Amino acid sequence: MDSRQALREISVEGCPCIGKGRNGAVYQLDRETIVKLYPADSLGWQNVRQEKKNAKAAFILGVPTALSFSVVRAGERIGIVFELVEARSLREVVAQQPERMDALIVKSAELLQDMHRIEVPPGTFPDMANVYRERITGLDDLLTHDEIRLLHRMVDSIPERNTYVHGDFHRGNLMVQGDELVVIDMADSAAGHPLYDVLGVYMLGKNLADTMPPETVKQVIGWEPDMVRRVWGLFMRTYFRTQDPGELEEIEAMMEAYCWLRQMTFLKIVPAFTDEIRRQMVRSARAQFFPKAEQHMARFAGRMARM
């Protein structure tokens, strides 16, 4: 795909914006289609190229997701037209029908299990381990050489797999269609170990509840911290298929340890992270994470191999 290539021009004037995220904004064009728009710069073109490829490949592999259509231009932005999924986000459904929460959380864990049974042919998606390695290498202005090398070793400690991973699996990217779930936003789809996806669920759930003020948790997630922890517990028991307290304690400890790795790789890619927030996160990592990283790798190697 070339940025000079002639693209069909569309207009989103008067179209409702139905979603915004790290990668772009989504507008409903009509009863059947939506468009996800990116900036028309080199990064935008790179994102469009990758997401279009990912969405098509994921659909072919059997991931329950929306069909992708054409690449278009809307003024100074470029984007992808998708079919409109007649559904509401899990976040919205739970807010309006809280009695459905437990059943939907169980379904989300079962969906992730199903997705992690998909074997990805070589070259279909980026390798998630390499995505992490590239992000870590770009932290040389925040971390020391030894800290960067330690993070690389931690990525290396995660077993290589050809498993499909969504890369951004959370309730905002899960759509409820009747009694079934459909996953959207395929921009971060990759091949790799299932841990990468489960870490995302943990980081945007229990980790937030444990590290942020209650009012911030309610603002970001929409639930009280105790509810977030309960939801994570239900998800964890379903996904890992265990009720054993000792097993659950070890799983949670693994999530807490490797969540630091995921957080470090997000330092440069979350627009809301100011320089001060990044520095504070690095200070916290130096106090709580780096001194124990080698211990964590040894402790959880067997458990990750069994996932």
Side-chain angles (χ1 to χ4, degrees):
M1 187 186 303
D2 190 312
S3 60
R4 295 167 294 185
Q5 175 182 347
L7 297 175
R8 178 168 67 94
E9 291 275 353
I10 67 168
S11 172
V12 294
E13 185 176 354
C15 296
C17 179
I18 59 174
K20 288 185 178 180
R22 174 167 51 87
N23 294 312
V26 180
Y27 297 84
Q28 182 174 342
L29 296 176
D30 51 43
R31 292 183 179 180
E32 298 181 347
T33 58
I34 62 172
V35 62
K36 183 174 182 179
L37 294 179
Y38 296 83
D41 53 21
S42 59
L43 181 59
W45 277 98
Q46 177 182 333
N47 287 334
V48 165
R49 183 184 298 113
Q50 192 63 58
E51 182 162 8
K52 182 72 166 65
K53 179 174 179 282
N54 287 355
K56 179 179 179 181
F59 185 85
I60 291 172
L61 286 172
V63 177
T65 190
L67 280 169
S68 62
F69 298 126
S70 55
V71 177
V72 297
R73 181 183 295 275
E76 295 301 314
R77 292 179 288 178
I78 53 174
I80 308 169
V81 176
F82 291 92
E83 69 169 327
L84 173 63
V85 177
E86 291 290 343
R88 295 177 296 160
S89 74
L90 189 150
R91 176 185 292 152
E92 180 183 356
V93 170
V94 167
Q96 297 176 357
Q97 299 174 285
E99 70 278 4
R100 297 184 65 186
M101 177 185 288
D102 285 9
L104 289 173
I105 296 304
V106 168
K107 278 187 176 293
S108 71
E110 293 171 342
L111 172 59
L112 195 58
Q113 288 174 335
D114 290 341
M115 289 162 58
H116 288 163
R117 294 188 185 100
I118 297 174
E119 294 187 4
V120 175
T124 305
F125 299 108
D127 185 287
M128 186 61 85
N130 288 336
V131 172
Y132 270 49
R133 291 184 184 107
E134 290 175 8
R135 293 176 184 174
I136 291 166
T137 300
L139 299 175
D140 56 348
D141 58 331
L142 293 171
L143 302 177
T144 68
H145 175 73
D146 286 344
E147 289 167 345
I148 288 177
R149 188 170 58 180
L150 185 58
L151 289 177
H152 279 298
R153 287 209 305 277
M154 203 159 192
V155 173
D156 293 340
S157 75
I158 302 173
E160 293 186 6
R161 296 280 177 81
N162 65 341
T163 301
Y164 172 78
V165 290
H166 179 267
D168 196 20
F169 191 86
H170 60 75
R171 56 199 160 276
N173 283 337
L174 289 171
M175 308 300 290
V176 181
Q177 193 172 46
D179 290 326
E180 301 302 323
L181 294 178
V182 177
V183 64
I184 61 171
D185 194 348
M186 316 308 286
D188 296 319
S189 290
H193 193 279
L195 179 70
Y196 291 111
D197 269 344
V198 185
L199 280 176
V201 179
Y202 177 84
M203 189 176 84
L204 293 175
K206 186 174 184 298
N207 179 257
L208 276 178
D210 288 347
T211 59
M212 296 290 180
E215 60 272 16
T216 302
V217 175
K218 183 67 181 292
Q219 180 180 4
V220 172
I221 299 180
W223 302 334
E224 298 293 342
D226 285 347
M227 179 63 73
V228 175
R229 295 184 185 100
R230 191 178 76 79
V231 165
W232 161 252
L234 177 57
F235 181 94
M236 177 173 57
R237 292 191 299 274
T238 304
Y239 181 87
F240 289 97
R241 297 182 177 180
T242 183
Q243 302 286 336
D244 182 83
E247 281 287 298
L248 293 170
E249 184 177 346
E250 278 294 288
I251 291 167
E252 184 127 355
M254 179 176 68
M255 291 298 136
E256 182 179 356
Y258 276 81
C259 186
W260 282 102
L261 170 65
R262 182 176 172 91
Q263 287 176 323
M264 293 294 101
T265 67
F266 272 72
L267 285 178
K268 290 287 189 72
I269 66 172
V270 177
F273 285 177
T274 63
D275 288 342
E276 178 52 37
I277 290 175
R278 294 188 183 102
R279 287 192 293 268
Q280 177 57 49
M281 291 177 71
V282 169
R283 288 193 293 269
S284 296
R286 285 171 176 159
Q288 302 174 46
F289 164 61
F290 285 118
K292 299 180 180 179
E294 296 282 3
Q295 176 185 336
H296 293 323
M297 285 185 270
R299 176 180 177 183
F300 301 118
R303 186 165 298 278
M304 281 189 290
R306 295 191 298 271
M307 279 185 70

